[in-house]
C-alpha cells in the first residue's frame, strides 16, 4: 500500500433534480409534474423525500410541496411546487 496525495474529486449530483428544483423556484406556487414512476409506492416515496428536504435539490425541508397521483396506465406521477414563504421563514409545512 502507498499514499497518493491528490485533491478530493468534486462531489457529483444528479443535475436534473437541481434543474427541476430551480424551475419550480422560478414559478412559485405553481404545480408541475416532475416525474413519472412505475408504481404509486415509488412516487409517494419521492414526494415524501421532496417535502422532507431529504433530496438535496429540494432543501430546506418544507420549501417544496409534493404529492403523488396514480395514472390510468398503472404508473404514478409526482407533482411538486415551490413555497417561497416556507423557505424564508424556515417553518416546515
Amino acid at each position: 500500500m502507498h499514499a497518493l496525495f491528490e485533491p478530493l474529486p468534486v462531489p457529483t449530483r444528479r443535475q436534473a433534480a437541481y434543474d427541476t428544483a430551480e424551475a419550480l423556484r422560478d414559478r412559485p406556487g405553481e404545480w408541475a409534474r416532475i416525474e413519472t414512476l412505475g408504481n404509486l409506492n415509488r412516487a409517494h416515496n419521492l414526494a415524501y423525500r421532496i417535502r422532507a428536504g431529504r433530496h438535496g435539490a429540494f432543501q430546506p425541508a418544507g420549501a417544496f410541496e409534493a404529492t403523488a397521483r396514480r395514472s390510468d396506465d398503472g404508473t404514478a406521477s409526482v407533482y411538486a411546487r415551490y413555497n417561497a414563504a416556507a423557505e424564508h421563514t424556515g417553518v416546515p409545512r
Side-chain angles (χ1 to χ4, degrees):
M1 182 170 25
H2 64 278
L4 176 61
F5 293 92
E6 60 186 29
L8 286 173
V10 176
T12 60
R13 63 183 191 183
R14 188 165 172 229
Q15 189 60 45
Y18 287 86
D19 292 344
T20 298
E22 186 63 30
L24 293 172
R25 282 186 176 96
D26 288 343
R27 296 176 71 166
E30 291 186 53
W31 287 100
R33 185 177 64 212
I34 62 166
E35 186 75 78
T36 300
L37 299 166
N39 62 57
L40 190 58
N41 186 48
R42 291 181 65 206
H44 276 301
N45 183 281
L46 177 58
Y48 167 75
R49 289 184 9 242
I50 290 169
R51 288 191 311 271
R54 292 195 175 181
H55 194 300
F58 298 94
Q59 290 181 350
F64 292 86
E65 294 178 67
T67 190
R69 297 288 190 267
R70 185 184 314 253
S71 302
D72 292 337
D73 64 0
T75 61
S77 296
V78 177
Y79 293 84
R81 69 180 174 181
Y82 173 64
N83 181 3
E87 183 170 13
H88 296 293
T89 61
V91 177
R93 296 188 48 170

